Amino acid sequence: MPDARPDDTDLPVQRQLTLDLGTPPPATFDNFFAAGNHEVIARLRELEGALAAGPVADRTFYVWGEPGSGRSHLLQALTHEANGHARYLSPQSALNAFGFDPRVTLYAIDDCDRLSPAQQIALFNLFNEVRAHPTSALVATGNDAPLALTVREDLRTRLGWGLVFHLQPLSDDAKASVLKHAARERGIVLAEDVPGYLLTHFRRDMPSLMALLDELDRFSLEQKRAVTRPLLRAMLQQTGRAAPLASIATDDPPAQTPAADSACAAPDNAPTRFK
């Protein structure tokens, strides 16, 4: 008779609590690093209140930027702070979720460029419904400006009708600041040299950097140690990723290799608020 495999109830209580503590904080406007994007943040932050106060001239928005620019973060912040009157939609959403509901004030549609043909038709219809109802608004995001989007022509035209904002990419200094701020939110004791080291030796896009920080957060809680370069090395060894990054123990910055690049990358289809 084979040995019974222990289920989650057999894990030590302390370990379960430690894993629970590693949950990243929700996306908000306060924890979005504005950089050069103050106008779009102000517009989105005030949108729900403006709708409640009366007629709003600009009720459709399209926000675009490169991967890691924070498009998903802004949409999730919008829905998080909308008091239950917003609906977040993405390529993973069911087709019927794109239907208009008069009880929904804000529609937030992520990754328009990845919507299926049927979802694109549904979004086109939703866009028209929102335009016909002055108490609702729609905010969509994509990876390129409206004219360059690989979507239906009629949907591309609709997305360009309203206000269009291009999210400015973060500099390396800004990315380091984001990592430090995210660490403080999680209560992580982060060594001063860790953000710069991550930017030098790993993938530099924010989804990958934040995925690595979240992994370090969980590992540091389990180990009850501050996040330092030795802790990073220990985590990589435990997860079987130490070989491509063996030089991490030295102070000489090695050239980034494809193996190191892929080892710490966030999967392209992984849900993240840092797109």
Side-chain angles (χ1 to χ4, degrees):
M1 180 177 179
D3 294 336
R5 294 184 62 184
D7 57 23
D8 290 342
T9 60
D10 295 320
L11 288 172
V13 174
Q14 185 176 7
R15 178 176 172 81
Q16 289 188 40
L17 292 175
T18 297
L19 293 174
D20 291 340
L21 288 172
T23 303
T28 67
F29 290 116
D30 287 333
N31 60 23
F32 183 83
F33 197 84
N37 302 301
H38 296 279
E39 183 181 357
V40 62
I41 295 171
R43 289 271 193 169
L44 296 182
R45 192 166 208 163
E46 299 166 358
L47 185 54
E48 185 183 29
L51 289 170
V56 178
D58 300 308
R59 295 185 294 109
T60 59
F61 297 75
Y62 177 72
V63 182
W64 65 280
E66 64 183 23
S69 58
R71 306 184 318 245
S72 295
H73 185 128
L74 284 178
L75 288 191
Q76 292 173 26
L78 184 68
T79 55
H80 175 76
E81 300 185 10
N83 298 318
H85 300 296
R87 180 183 296 173
Y88 177 86
L89 300 167
S90 74
Q92 288 71 46
S93 300
L95 186 61
N96 60 9
F98 287 80
F100 181 79
D101 185 339
R103 296 170 297 180
V104 176
T105 302
L106 297 171
Y107 293 90
I109 299 88
D110 208 358
D111 292 333
C112 288
D113 48 289
R114 294 187 176 188
L115 296 177
S116 70
Q119 288 173 328
Q120 291 181 36
I121 294 173
L123 176 55
F124 174 82
N125 294 330
L126 176 61
F127 190 100
N128 292 334
E129 289 281 5
V130 168
R131 296 273 296 187
H133 289 78
T135 58
S136 61
L138 184 149
V139 182
T141 72
N143 66 345
D144 218 330
L147 289 177
L149 276 178
T150 55
V151 297
R152 294 169 54 96
E153 181 62 31
D154 52 6
L155 177 58
R156 182 187 301 113
T157 301
R158 292 296 189 275
L159 293 173
W161 272 4
L163 295 179
V164 177
F165 291 94
H166 178 208
L167 290 179
Q168 300 301 312
L170 297 177
S171 65
D172 282 356
D173 286 344
K175 289 178 181 179
S177 296
V178 171
L179 290 169
K180 292 174 183 177
H181 180 79
R184 288 194 297 270
E185 278 194 313
R186 292 157 172 76
I188 301 174
V189 180
L190 191 67
E192 188 65 28
D193 62 343
V194 168
Y197 193 81
L198 295 178
L199 284 165
T200 304
H201 294 78
F202 299 91
R203 288 192 59 164
R204 303 159 64 84
D205 63 282
M206 286 310 301
S208 296
L209 288 168
M210 292 307 304
L212 185 56
L213 182 65
D214 287 337
E215 192 174 355
L216 276 167
D217 181 15
R218 291 188 293 269
F219 190 73
S220 69
L221 285 168
E222 292 178 10
Q223 300 295 315
K224 293 183 171 55
R225 293 168 56 189
V227 176
T228 60
R229 286 168 54 181
L231 181 76
L232 174 59
R233 182 188 180 196
M235 185 189 77
L236 294 172
Q237 287 176 333
Q238 182 168 308
T239 56
R241 291 182 289 172
L245 301 171
S247 57
I248 195 170
T250 72
D251 291 326
D252 298 326
Q256 187 171 341
T257 64
D261 192 61
S262 61
C264 297
D268 186 52
N269 61 351
T272 174
R273 60 186 169 102
F274 290 94
K275 287 203 302 291

